[in-house]
Amino acid sequence: GSLWEPNVTFQWLQHWFWSCSVPVLLKHVKAFINETWLERYGYPIHQDNLLFLWSFIVSITGIGGLLGSSGSRYLTVKYGKPSPFSSMRAAFIMGCSKIARSFEMILVGRFMSGISAGLCVPLHHQYVGEISPRKLRGFANSTASFFWSLGKAVGQIVGQRELLGSQSLWPILMASCGVPALVQLVTLPFFPESPPYLLMQKGDQEGCKKAIRQLWGEGHHQAEIDDIMKEKATMKNTKILSVLELIKEPSFRWQLYMLATVTATVQLCGINAIYFYTFEVLQAAGFDERMISYMSLSVGLSELLATVVCSSIIERLGRKTLISGGYWIMSLLLAGITVTLSLQDWYFWMPYCSLCLIIFNISYSYFLSAGATVSIRVEIFKLSCRPPAFVISSVLNWLGVFVIGTAFPFIVERLKQFCFLIFMGVLFTSGIIIYLFLPETKGKSIMEITEEFNRLNFKKKCVPATPNHVTEDYTFCTRL
C-alpha cells in the first residue's frame, strides 16, 4: 500500500501548496489589485475595499469547496475516482492573471481550485481508509496529514523571494500548483478500486481479491476479508445512503455528533487563521517584514516533522487520546500566544516567545490530533454511510474555511491579540466532548466500533451490532 497512499494524497499536497503560498503572495497580489484598479478607474482603491478583496480571494476557495463537496457522494458511487482537470485549469487561469491585467482571474482560479479540492479530498480520505489493513489503518489515514504539511512546506519554500516569491515571478508560483494535478492525471488510471467498494457495491469478488493482492501483496488477509463480509451481511442493502437518510438514521446519531465536532474544531482551532494570515500575526508580534517569510517557513517545517512523528505513534496511543490531548494542549498554547502578544512592548524578547508558541501550537495540532482526526472520520462509519458522511464533513469544513477566511482579518482588527481566546474556548470544549463520548477505535473492526456507538445511540436499549439472522462464521474461498 505504500505506493498508492502517497499518490492518492497528492490532492492534499496540491491544495495546501497553494494555501500556504497565500501569505507569501499577500504584498504582491495587493499591489497588483491596486495597480489594476488605478489603470481602470484612474484612482487608487480604498483600503477597506482592498482588504475585502484580499479576504475574498483567500476565502472564496471555501465556497468552491462547499459546492464541490456536495457532489463528492455522486462521484464516489458513480465513478470512484476524481479528475484533476479542474485543478489544472485553475492553475492556468491564475498564472495568466498578471498578463491579462485581471485580478478577477485570481478569484475565478481560487474558486475552481476550491471546487476541485471539495470534490477530491473526501474521496481520498475514503479511499486511503478502505485500502488499508486494520493494523495499519491509522497510519495510512495519517499520511493525508503528512502530505497536507508537505504541500504547505513546499509552498513556503518555493514562495521565498529568492525563488518564485518575487515581484516578477509570483504568477508562476500561482500556476505551479498545477504540477501535482498533472502527476495525478498520469497516475490515477493505474489505481485499483478499493476492495470493500468492489465487493459490497459491485459484487465483484474476483476484482476484490485482485485489488487486495495488488495493494497488500501476497499473504494471509482472511481477517480483513471476513470484516468486509460481515459488514456486507449486516447492511440492509448495498445502496449508498443519501445525506438526508443518514441524518434521519438514529443508529448513526452520535457518529454524526462526533464528525461535526472534529470537523468544526479543525476550522475553529485557529490553525487555518494563523496560516492564511501568518504575515499579519508575525507582524503583530513585532518582527521585521523581511524576516517574516523565513519565520513562516520554520513553522511549516516544524509541522511537517510533527506529522511524521504522529504517523509513527498513532497506532500506539490511539485516536481518542491524541485528539482530546491535542485540543487541550493547543488551548493552553493559544492562551500563551495571547499573553505574549499583549506583552510584546514590555520586553524585547517577547516576540520570539510568540513565534515559539506559534510553532509549538501548530506542531502539537498535527502531532497530537490532525492524523487521528482524519482516521476517525473513516473508521466510525460503515461503507454505506461514508460518502454522505464525508459530504457533511466537507460542507462544514469548507463553510468554516470561507467564514474564517472572510472574518478573521476584521476580527483581528477589532480584537487584536485577544481573537485567539475564541479559538481557545472552542478547543477546550471540544476536548471535553471527545474525551467523554468518542469510543477508542484503535485496532477495532467497524462492527465493534458500531456496537460501542449503539450504547450511546440507543441508551439502555440492547441493540446488537450484528442482526440475529446473520451468523458469525463465513466461508469465503480465496487464494489468499
Side-chain angles (χ1 to χ4, degrees), residues 134-139 313-317 319 442:
R134 188 197 305 181
K135 63 181 181 181
L136 296 177
R137 193 172 55 203
F139 170 78
I313 67 169
I314 187 172
E315 293 296 348
R316 298 181 182 180
L317 297 183
R319 288 54 151 167
K442 181 185 71 172

Side-chain angles (χ1 to χ4, degrees), residues 23-36:
V24 177
L25 295 167
L26 168 66
K27 184 170 68 173
H28 301 315
V29 173
K30 281 187 174 181
F32 173 63
I33 294 173
N34 201 26
E35 292 171 6
T36 306

Side-chain angles (χ1 to χ4, degrees), residues 164-424:
L164 299 181
S166 64
Q167 178 65 31
S168 59
L169 297 178
W170 65 264
I172 299 177
L173 176 61
M174 282 189 167
S176 59
C177 65
V179 175
L182 181 61
V183 175
Q184 281 185 294
L185 181 65
V186 174
T187 58
L188 278 176
F190 301 99
F191 283 25
E193 292 290 355
S194 73
Y197 175 83
L198 290 171
L199 182 60
M200 300 173 67
Q201 296 300 318
K202 299 297 185 181
D204 185 1
Q205 292 190 9
E206 289 300 320
C208 174
K209 291 184 285 184
K210 181 180 178 181
I212 287 177
R213 288 194 299 269
Q214 191 173 358
L215 290 166
W216 302 346
E218 299 292 343
H220 300 286
H221 307 296
Q222 190 62 40
E224 283 80 5
I225 294 174
D226 288 344
D227 287 339
I228 299 174
M229 294 299 297
K230 289 178 182 178
E231 184 179 350
K232 180 179 181 180
T234 57
M235 292 171 62
K236 297 177 182 178
N237 50 59
T238 58
K239 174 180 174 289
I240 298 293
L241 298 181
S242 68
V243 173
L244 189 59
E245 289 171 339
L246 178 61
I247 293 175
K248 290 181 177 180
E249 179 60 51
S251 60
F252 292 100
R253 186 176 297 117
W254 274 96
Q255 287 94 320
L256 289 175
Y257 292 161
M258 294 298 101
L259 180 70
T261 299
V262 297
T263 303
T265 305
V266 166
Q267 293 304 322
L268 298 176
C269 68
I271 295 300
N272 286 342
I274 289 175
Y275 259 112
F276 282 146
Y277 298 97
T278 306
F279 183 87
E280 287 92 335
V281 171
L282 293 178
Q283 193 175 47
F287 287 105
D288 183 82
E289 182 177 330
R290 293 174 298 178
M291 297 297 297
I292 287 179
S293 61
Y294 300 109
M295 293 177 177
S296 301
L297 178 58
S298 68
V299 174
L301 293 177
S302 65
E303 178 189 328
L304 182 61
L305 177 62
T307 56
V308 174
V309 178
C310 176
S311 300
S312 64
I313 67 169
I314 187 172
E315 293 296 348
R316 298 181 182 180
L317 297 183
R319 288 54 151 167
K320 181 176 181 178
T321 302
L322 288 172
I323 294 177
S324 58
Y327 287 169
W328 289 333
I329 292 175
M330 288 165 62
S331 66
L332 294 176
L333 291 172
L334 286 178
I337 291 173
T338 304
V339 172
T340 56
L341 289 177
S342 301
L343 300 177
Q344 64 177 349
D345 294 330
W346 291 33
Y347 306 99
F348 74 93
W349 44 265
M350 197 59 72
Y352 298 96
C353 292
S354 299
L355 176 62
C356 291
L357 287 173
I358 289 174
I359 293 175
F360 285 141
N361 187 344
I362 294 176
S363 299
Y364 265 106
S365 72
Y366 289 93
F367 177 66
L368 295 176
S369 60
T373 298
V374 174
S375 186
I376 282 293
R377 293 173 181 174
V378 177
E379 293 174 334
I380 63 177
F381 289 100
K382 295 179 180 179
L383 181 65
S384 60
C385 305
R386 283 175 196 154
F390 272 89
V391 169
I392 295 172
S393 174
S394 298
V395 167
L396 292 174
N397 181 70
W398 291 110
L399 186 62
V401 168
F402 175 73
V403 171
I404 293 298
T406 304
F408 187 73
F410 299 98
I411 294 175
V412 170
E413 190 173 335
R414 301 293 188 276
L415 299 180
K416 304 299 181 182
Q417 66 272 15
F418 297 103
C419 66
F420 292 107
L421 295 179
I422 300 174
F423 303 130
M424 184 189 71

Side-chain angles (χ1 to χ4, degrees), residues 56 67 81 87 101 103 124 144 183 245 256 380 405 436 446:
F56 199 55
L67 295 176
K81 300 190 186 89
S87 296
R101 306 302 294 171
F103 61 82
H124 291 170
V183 175
E245 289 171 339
L256 289 175
I380 63 177
L436 293 177
I446 184 62

